Amino acid sequence: VRGFGWLWCQRSELQTRLGNPVEAEAGSGGTPPYGRVLTFQGGVMLLNPLNAEVYVLFDQGDWRRFSW
């Protein structure tokens, strides 16, 4: 939903490193556009809707930024 699923499905390295989601995505609340967060077995994905970027934080301590 909202970019996470598309990015996760398109990037096999994310599927391998992150594993499966462990809970439903959550929003930041407040005023739209809403930021989103989704927790996985091996890390977290954060959606910044203001600049159409997703930050992926891996449990191993590294991270990556994706734009769409």
Side-chain angles (χ1 to χ4, degrees):
V1 179
R2 296 180 188 85
F4 291 128
W6 178 85
L7 182 62
W8 188 82
C9 288
Q10 296 297 315
R11 304 282 184 147
S12 61
E13 72 270 17
L14 292 181
Q15 295 170 22
T16 300
R17 292 192 65 193
L18 288 174
N20 294 315
V22 295
E23 56 189 44
E25 71 180 58
S28 62
T31 305
Y34 302 110
R36 308 294 291 175
V37 62
L38 183 57
T39 305
F40 289 83
Q41 294 167 322
V44 176
M45 293 178 88
L46 305 166
L47 172 65
N48 179 353
L50 297 176
N51 57 5
E53 292 182 326
V54 173
Y55 295 88
V56 181
L57 311 175
F58 298 104
D59 284 350
Q60 297 84 5
D62 57 324
W63 63 278
R64 292 195 50 201
R65 179 178 53 129
F66 298 92
S67 297
W68 80 88

